[in-house]
């Protein structure tokens, strides 16, 4: 009688686990959870849940009930054999009232088609790096920059492909729920797991620092725009740039060509009341006060126990990127193209096509194409798993095309002369006046998007660090507060003393890229091939070369 009182879809297997049945083999957990309520689909005339079942189906159901009662014995060999248990797509629920209906495949229903998966990867990869692509192309040179963008994208795609295939290459172990840190732990023990975790934290904290610098920038320019319009202040006389409706500025015209920092500041003078202007600039400074104002807003948001509220605004990232593409298109059409090819010599208004500063672009692109720490999770939701490689390739093609479009158009449309191409800033929006309405809208959209994404990044850092150290994602409010103060403090210090997102991005990309893009995937792949007896010297040389590229990419950042 106890068996008859059990729930129809109990997730508790009777007796010992079916996974220990020996030669009978392990069963799918979903199949086990639906025992013994099964009716052959041929006995169901239609999809109507009230369709009466046949006597043959009732006999089959009684037979499986019989097997189920036998499993109460200590001998697990008496459990239902595999040939009696239906596959997941053939499961029907049998009611004591004599009706049956098909159980929907919940996992299949939650899967996404290929087009959704492709754009999910695109949306995840599109971040703050897109603002620095024109600057990176300028640092490498126009021709070399395009070559490096294509080459780096292909390398990152291949390493991402290795990450996706790595769990499936492990034999004799159920890796269906594994992430890449689990794969690293399988091959390299605790060292591999902690290495992947630490370098993943570098990418997340680096992104949060870049966000703080950009939020300070966008908030400053937004306030400047509102103040200037409210007081009828014109900044055209104080900015070095072009004239006309499509005004482009060079914030730091006295900086030497080939610079890699933006430490100097542009002090805007006003034509209005001097006392009022001085007072406003004193309390509204991009590097002195704005980074501190953001603490009041963002530190409490980081302490929220759950980040589900902020996850609702992730669609703003897509809107912001699409608006940036529209903005770049309109600005380029109005400004026209300004290109001259000087292959190796530096002219007054143009940069060489090949420059020795190209590692700065490779560092930026390593973070721009970085998705390796979450690609397994994203691809699990793909409905057609056999198309994973194709969909990943198309996603990288879309991302690379977006970066190429924005980078090439901004570089080509930058008005030279009268301005030098070397004036392109690490954040290309800084090359437009704070009074530009279209750029003002872009800054507001990006500011609001970053305010909602920043707590999500903080939540990811908290979950991984606290989960590893204390086994609890929220050990106490004090623990969370101390962690958040350290993260916020790093952002504030960089925004006040080194607000160069180009350098922050390239160092973050080179550091995390060394481990999670080049080193660990290449080692995992070689270890996997060696265990299968398929490792050749050509493969070993090629993947060792990938590791050397990662090391060279990181070391080169310190000499730029």
């Amino acid at each position: 009688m106890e068996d008859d009182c059990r729930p129809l879809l109990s997730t508790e297997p009777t007796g010992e686990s079916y996974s220990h049945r020996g030669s009978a083999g392990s069963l799918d957990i979903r199949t086990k959870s639906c025992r013994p309520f099964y009716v052959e689909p041929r006995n169901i005339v239609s999809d109507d849940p009230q369709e009466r079942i046949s006597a043959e189906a009732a006999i089959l159901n009684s037979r499986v009930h019989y097997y189920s009662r036998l499993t109460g014995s200590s001998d697990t060999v008496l459990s239902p054999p595999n040939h009696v248990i239906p596959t997941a797509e053939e499961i029907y629920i049998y009611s004591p009232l004599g009706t049956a209906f098909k159980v929907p495949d919940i996992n299949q229903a939650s899967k996404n088609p290929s087009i959704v998966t492709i754009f999910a990867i695109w949306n995840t990869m599109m971040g703050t790096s897109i603002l620095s692509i024109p600057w990176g192309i300028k640092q490498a040179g126009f021709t070399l920059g395009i070559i490096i963008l294509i080459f780096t994208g292909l390398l990152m795609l291949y390493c991402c492909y290795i990450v996706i295939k790595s769990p499936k290459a492990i034999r004799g172990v159920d890796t269906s729920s594994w992430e890449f840190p689990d794969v690293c732990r399988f091959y390299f023990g605790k060292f591999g797991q902690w290495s992947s975790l630490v370098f993943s934290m570098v990418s997340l904290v680096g992104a949060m620092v870049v966000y703080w610098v950009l939020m300070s920038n966008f908030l400053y320019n937004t306030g400047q725009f509102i103040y200037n319009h409210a007081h009828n202040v014109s900044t055209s006389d104080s900015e070095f740039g072009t004239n006309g409706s499509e005004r482009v500025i060079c914030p730091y015209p006295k900086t030497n060509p080939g610079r890699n920092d933006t430490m100097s500041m542009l002090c805007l003078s006003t034509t209005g009341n001097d006392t009022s202007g001085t007072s406003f600039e004193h309390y509204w400074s991009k590097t002195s006060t704005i980074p501190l104002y953001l603490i009041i807003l963002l530190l409490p948001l980081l302490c929220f126990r759950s980040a589900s509220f902020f996850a609702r605004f992730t669609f703003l990232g897509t809107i912001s990127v699409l608006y940036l593409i529209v903005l770049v298109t309109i600005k380029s059409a109005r400004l026209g193209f300004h290109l001259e090819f000087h292959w190796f010599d530096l002219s007054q208004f143009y940069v060489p096509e090949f420059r020795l500063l190209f590692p700065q672009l490779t560092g930026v692109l390593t973070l721009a194409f970085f998705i390796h720490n979450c690609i397994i999770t994203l691809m699990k939701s793909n409905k057609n798993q056999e198309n994973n490689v194709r969909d990943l390739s198309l996603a990288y093609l879309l991302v690379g095309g977006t970066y190429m479009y924005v980078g090439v158009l901004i570089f080509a449309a930058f008005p030279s002369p009268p301005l030098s191409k070397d004036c392109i800033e690490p954040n290309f929006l800084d090359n437009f006046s704070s009074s530009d309405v279209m750029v003002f809208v872009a800054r507001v959209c990006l500011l609001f998007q970053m305010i909602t994404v920043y707590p999500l990044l903080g939540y990811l850092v908290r979950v991984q660090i606290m989960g590893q150290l204390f086994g609890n994602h929220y050990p106490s409010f004090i623990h969370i507060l101390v962690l958040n103060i350290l993260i916020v403090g790093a952002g504030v210090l960089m925004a006040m003393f080194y607000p160069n997102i180009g350098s922050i991005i390239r160092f973050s990309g080179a550091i995390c890229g060394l481990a999670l893009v080049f080193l660990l995937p290449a080692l995992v792949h070689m270890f996997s091939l060696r265990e299968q007896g398929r490792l050749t010297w050509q493969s070993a040389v090629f993947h060792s070369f990938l590791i050397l590229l990662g090391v060279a990419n990181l070391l080169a950042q310190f000499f730029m």
Side-chain angles (χ1 to χ4, degrees):
M1 294 298 295
E2 291 181 359
D3 291 340
D4 294 336
C5 297
R6 291 175 183 165
L8 294 181
L9 292 178
S10 171
T11 58
E12 300 282 340
T14 307
E16 295 183 17
S17 173
Y18 292 115
S19 61
H20 299 87
R21 290 173 49 191
S23 61
S26 60
L27 298 176
D28 182 83
I29 186 63
R30 189 169 185 274
T31 303
K32 292 187 291 183
S33 67
C34 296
R35 295 183 187 216
F37 305 100
Y38 169 70
V39 179
E40 286 183 309
R42 64 172 179 268
N43 295 311
I44 304 300
V45 180
S46 68
D47 292 333
D48 184 3
Q50 300 302 318
E51 181 68 29
R52 303 293 295 183
I53 64 174
S54 65
E56 180 183 356
I59 293 173
L60 175 62
N61 185 66
S62 299
R63 183 187 307 165
V64 183
H65 263 292
Y66 171 73
Y67 278 111
S68 181
R69 287 189 174 92
L70 291 178
T71 58
S73 169
S74 60
D75 188 0
T76 58
V77 177
L78 298 176
S79 57
N82 287 343
H83 70 271
V84 176
I85 305 301
T87 58
E89 61 272 13
E90 295 176 340
I91 296 177
Y92 282 76
I93 291 181
Y94 170 75
S95 169
L97 300 178
T99 60
F101 61 92
K102 193 175 189 340
V103 177
D105 191 346
I106 300 175
N107 293 330
Q108 188 68 17
S110 62
K111 300 289 186 179
N112 296 323
S114 293
I115 188 66
V116 175
T117 303
I118 291 171
F119 276 96
I121 297 174
W122 175 82
N123 188 38
T124 304
M125 252 195 281
M126 284 288 111
T128 56
S129 301
I130 193 173
L131 299 174
S132 295
I133 297 297
W135 171 79
I137 292 178
K138 179 258 297 187
Q139 296 296 90
F142 184 65
T143 302
L144 183 58
I146 294 176
I147 296 174
I148 289 177
L149 197 155
I150 297 173
F151 178 73
T152 305
L154 292 175
L155 279 183
M156 299 286 285
L157 170 61
Y158 176 72
C159 294
C160 202
Y161 164 78
I162 293 177
V163 172
I164 291 179
K165 294 295 184 181
S166 59
K168 300 178 182 178
I170 299 176
R171 299 177 179 179
V173 181
D174 181 14
T175 61
S176 58
S177 62
W178 281 23
E179 300 293 339
F180 191 62
D182 300 312
V183 177
C184 294
R185 181 175 183 176
F186 177 82
Y187 286 106
F188 311 117
K190 282 284 188 180
F191 173 78
Q193 183 184 22
W194 278 98
S195 298
S196 61
L197 175 66
V198 169
F199 286 101
S200 179
M201 291 298 98
V202 171
S203 66
L204 289 173
V205 174
M208 295 182 74
V209 171
V210 172
Y211 269 41
W212 201 278
V213 175
L214 286 175
M215 285 187 293
S216 301
N217 182 304
F218 296 150
L219 182 58
Y220 168 79
N221 284 284
T222 300
Q224 194 75 45
F225 177 89
I226 297 173
Y227 177 84
N228 291 342
H229 277 261
H231 294 81
N232 196 26
V233 176
S234 174
T235 59
S236 59
D237 294 335
S238 60
E239 295 173 333
F240 179 78
T242 61
N243 298 319
S245 57
E246 297 301 325
R247 184 168 172 77
V248 179
I249 64 174
C250 184
Y252 313 105
K254 295 182 180 181
T255 307
N256 292 330
R259 71 194 187 283
N260 60 3
D261 59 41
T262 54
M263 294 301 294
S264 58
M265 283 195 60
L266 175 65
C267 299
L268 299 177
S269 61
T270 64
T271 57
N273 188 294
D274 291 339
T275 304
S276 174
T278 303
S279 177
F280 174 75
E281 292 174 1
H282 177 73
Y283 293 104
W284 197 257
S285 170
K286 185 189 298 185
T287 57
S288 299
T289 59
I290 301 296
L292 299 176
Y293 295 159
L294 287 172
I295 299 177
I296 302 174
L297 172 64
L298 292 174
L299 185 58
L301 297 180
L302 284 176
C303 295
F304 279 23
R305 182 179 292 269
S306 173
S308 58
F309 172 76
F310 304 103
R312 302 174 185 175
F313 299 96
T314 53
F315 69 93
L316 291 174
T318 304
I319 296 176
S320 300
V321 172
L322 293 177
Y323 182 81
L324 274 180
I325 294 174
V326 173
L327 173 67
V328 169
T329 304
I330 294 175
K331 292 292 185 182
S332 301
R334 293 177 178 176
L335 290 170
F337 285 176
H338 305 267
L339 287 174
E340 283 188 12
F341 294 92
H342 299 264
W343 296 105
F344 299 102
D345 58 312
L346 180 65
S347 66
Q348 181 180 0
F349 299 107
Y350 298 94
V351 296
E353 299 301 303
F354 298 88
R355 304 182 72 183
L356 294 179
L357 296 174
F358 70 89
Q360 296 185 356
L361 176 60
T362 61
V364 170
L365 291 175
T366 306
L367 192 63
F369 284 111
F370 179 73
I371 198 175
H372 301 61
N373 59 343
C374 62
I375 188 60
I376 295 179
T377 302
L378 288 174
M379 299 309 293
K380 282 180 182 178
S381 63
N382 196 9
K383 182 182 295 184
N384 302 312
Q385 291 293 305
E386 66 276 8
N387 296 333
N388 277 354
V389 176
R390 182 202 68 183
D391 296 342
L392 179 66
S393 302
L394 291 176
Y396 261 85
L397 178 63
L398 186 61
V399 171
T402 305
Y403 288 150
M404 183 78 72
Y405 184 84
V406 172
V408 169
L409 283 188
I410 289 295
F411 182 89
F414 194 83
S416 302
L419 303 180
S420 171
K421 294 288 187 184
D422 212 56
C423 284
I424 297 177
E425 289 297 305
N427 172 11
F428 73 83
L429 293 179
D430 286 343
N431 287 115
F432 297 96
S433 174
S434 59
S435 60
D436 192 307
V437 177
M438 288 190 67
V439 177
F440 165 75
V441 174
R443 286 169 174 150
V444 171
C445 292
L446 289 170
L447 175 62
F448 188 69
Q449 177 224 346
M450 291 180 180
I451 289 176
T452 57
V453 173
Y454 189 84
L456 285 175
L457 296 176
Y459 178 77
L460 294 176
V461 173
R462 178 212 310 172
V463 166
Q464 296 191 44
I465 292 181
M466 295 300 175
Q468 290 291 332
L469 294 180
F470 303 101
N472 186 351
H473 298 165
Y474 201 98
S476 71
F477 177 77
I478 299 299
H479 287 82
I480 302 304
L481 182 61
V482 171
L483 175 63
N484 291 336
I485 289 176
L486 293 176
I487 296 174
V488 169
V492 171
L493 290 176
M494 295 300 289
M496 295 180 69
F497 299 106
Y498 193 69
N500 185 345
I501 66 167
S503 292
I504 301 173
I505 289 175
R506 65 185 177 91
F507 273 102
S508 300
I511 293 172
C512 70
L514 170 61
L516 297 178
V517 176
F518 298 107
L519 178 63
L520 292 177
L523 289 178
V524 164
H525 188 65
M526 287 191 288
F527 271 70
S528 175
L529 291 178
R530 189 185 66 175
E531 289 185 356
Q532 301 173 26
R534 297 167 48 205
L535 180 63
T536 62
W537 70 267
Q538 295 94 336
S539 178
V541 170
F542 175 73
H543 292 91
S544 299
F545 176 69
L546 289 182
I547 297 175
L548 291 178
L549 283 180
V551 174
N553 184 36
L554 175 59
L555 294 179
Q557 306 305 320
F558 295 95
F559 298 97
M560 295 296 108

